[in-house]
């Protein structure tokens, strides 16, 4: 089975801190994604990557950056955390070009910014 | 931009009922449509993926259908059980968008004994 592992289930940080959320997948998938999920707003795509060192902005990239130095790891960075970034963050991966394959999700990181 | 809508937003049924969850999308130029399940506080679990060339996919008590021309998909759950209680989301992939998915907001299902 595909395993997508997010480094933390729960995380509490302070306003202004630089925050790193890590995601690792073990199936050699080319594509990786970061979403945030908020009540009433559903899942929103922040960034995605279709290859090492490649990245594409999603719908809400402001205040975030990403890093993909190795194929299996995709990091989401909050440059200067703010309270409106309190949310559930979900990482996903999929194989191949295009969308013939399903996306697989991690268990999520619930991030609170105080 | 693809817009995905799910109706109803919430559904509460007694155990044993057969039920239908609906998903509609605005852009019919999709490669596939995927149904997910999400338990409270957890990530998403992929249930079924229907390719654009298919009409149906089945997994156990779940059956998903796809009608591209009308921009609709349905998830049919047979003989519902309390363990089916969760939020169900559908998501589509458009043509040249490098694998990104567009999600509906989900149907929150409660099956009571």
């Amino acid at each position: 089975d595909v395993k997508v592992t997010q480094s933390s289930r729960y995380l509490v940080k302070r306003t202004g801190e630089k925050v790193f959320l890590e995601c690792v997948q073990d199936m050699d998938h080319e594509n990786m994604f970061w979403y945030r999920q908020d009540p009433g707003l559903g899942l929103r795509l922040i960034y995605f990557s279709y290859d090492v060192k490649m990245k594409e902005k999603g719908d809400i990239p402001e205040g975030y950056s990403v890093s993909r130095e190795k194929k299996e790891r995709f990091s989401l960075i909050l440059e200067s955390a703010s309270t409106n970034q309190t949310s559930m963050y979900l990482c996903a991966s999929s194989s191949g070009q295009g969308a013939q394959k399903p996306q697989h999700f991690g268990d999520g990181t619930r991030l609170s910014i105080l | 931009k693809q817009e995905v809508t799910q109706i109803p937003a919430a559904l509460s049924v007694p155990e044993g009922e057969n039920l239908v969850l609906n998903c509609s999308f605005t852009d019919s130029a999709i490669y596939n449509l995927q149904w997910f399940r999400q338990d409270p506080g957890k990530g998403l679990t992929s249930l079924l993926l229907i390719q654009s060339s298919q009409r149906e996919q089945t997994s156990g008590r779940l059956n998903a259908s796809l009608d591209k021309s009308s921009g609709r998909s349905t998830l049919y759950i047979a003989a519902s059980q309390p363990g089916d209680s969760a939020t169900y989301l559908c998501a589509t992939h458009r043509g040249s968008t490098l694998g990104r998915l567009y999600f509906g907001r989900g149907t929150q299902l409660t099956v009571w004994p």
Side-chain angles (χ1 to χ4, degrees):
Chain A
D1 276 354
V2 175
K3 184 75 172 174
V4 179
T5 303
Q6 295 184 229
S7 53
S8 305
R9 288 299 313 278
Y10 302 94
L11 205 54
V12 180
K13 295 291 182 180
R14 297 214 172 268
T15 303
E17 280 193 65
K18 190 169 187 176
V19 180
F20 293 85
L21 302 184
E22 305 288 347
C23 176
V24 176
Q25 48 92 7
D26 66 356
M27 285 303 290
D28 201 36
H29 283 173
E30 290 81 3
N31 308 315
M32 296 188 75
F33 307 84
W34 274 107
Y35 298 89
R36 65 178 281 178
Q37 186 176 32
D38 300 286
L41 296 176
L43 273 89
R44 293 180 291 170
L45 182 65
I46 306 171
Y47 267 98
F48 62 107
S49 167
Y50 52 92
D51 203 349
V52 176
K53 297 191 185 294
M54 305 299 287
K55 61 184 180 183
E56 292 282 338
K57 292 180 180 179
D59 298 323
I60 51 163
E62 297 78 16
Y64 303 94
S65 63
V66 290
S67 172
R68 194 162 180 206
E69 296 297 318
K70 293 185 177 182
K71 192 174 185 180
E72 68 270 18
R73 186 180 297 270
F74 192 36
S75 302
L76 179 69
I77 304 157
L78 285 65
E79 297 291 343
S80 178
S82 63
T83 55
N84 63 12
Q85 293 178 309
T86 291
S87 185
M88 172 72 126
Y89 289 87
L90 293 164
C91 175
S93 71
S94 67
S95 66
Q97 294 293 317
Q100 287 74 26
K101 303 294 184 182
Q103 279 193 19
H104 299 270
F105 281 76
D107 281 338
T109 295
R110 187 165 292 283
L111 175 64
S112 296
I113 307 296
L114 304 179
Chain B
K1 185 182 175 181
Q2 178 74 283
E3 292 187 11
V4 181
T5 304
Q6 291 187 245
I7 295 173
L11 187 60
S12 181
V13 300
E15 182 176 9
E17 280 206 2
N18 301 322
L19 48 96
V20 175
L21 308 182
N22 297 295
C23 172
S24 61
F25 45 93
T26 54
D27 186 341
S28 60
I30 63 170
Y31 276 177
N32 59 41
L33 185 139
Q34 196 168 355
W35 282 94
F36 295 88
R37 169 186 173 136
Q38 185 176 30
D39 293 295
K42 295 290 187 71
L44 279 65
T45 301
S46 180
L47 297 173
L48 291 163
L49 182 144
I50 314 176
Q51 301 293 352
S52 59
S53 58
Q54 297 175 308
R55 296 286 253 171
E56 285 188 5
Q57 271 287 354
T58 298
S59 176
R61 294 182 293 107
L62 304 179
N63 175 276
S65 66
L66 176 63
D67 184 343
K68 272 185 60 175
S69 60
S70 67
R72 291 179 185 173
S73 177
T74 60
L75 180 66
Y76 176 82
I77 303 176
S80 57
Q81 303 170 358
D84 294 330
S85 298
T87 297
Y88 292 81
L89 297 102
C90 68
T92 70
H93 167 87
R94 281 180 64 218
S96 57
T97 51
L98 297 169
R100 69 157 293 171
L101 287 174
Y102 295 84
F103 282 86
R105 295 187 181 182
T107 294
Q108 186 174 2
L109 173 65
T110 303
V111 181
W112 40 276

